[in-house]
Amino acid sequence: MNPLLIFVLIVWAISGIGLIVFVLLHSGKGTGVSDMIASSLYSTQTGTNIIEKNLDRITIIFAIVFIISLLVLMIIYPQGSIAGA
């Protein structure tokens, strides 16, 4: 395997795992893990809003990196040619 493939696969895997983690951290009507963390750290509503906005930004960044790395993999190795390498 060439170094470019290894690098893109590592970025893809880390961004996929990070995306899963940060999506699970999002709150669903006040019962999410982020609400438990936010309620223990901040008692004000503004603190929770800031945490949610940052959580949204991080999730979007992970999603963009995941999609870009997936597209790069599709361009570099079309139609499953990675198995023949």
Side-chain angles (χ1 to χ4, degrees), residues 14-63:
I14 291 172
S15 63
I17 292 169
L19 186 60
I20 291 169
V21 168
F22 282 105
V23 165
L24 289 176
L25 281 174
H26 278 279
S27 62
K29 297 184 180 180
T31 59
V33 175
S34 65
D35 276 339
M36 290 189 303
I37 295 171
S39 65
S40 66
L41 294 177
Y42 301 103
S43 61
T44 63
Q45 185 63 25
T46 56
T48 304
N49 287 336
I50 292 171
I51 290 174
E52 287 293 327
K53 285 181 184 179
N54 288 336
L55 192 60
D56 289 340
R57 290 179 187 139
I58 294 170
T59 306
I60 290 170
I61 290 170
F62 271 104

Side-chain angles (χ1 to χ4, degrees), residues 77 80-85:
Y77 294 99
S81 63
I82 192 171

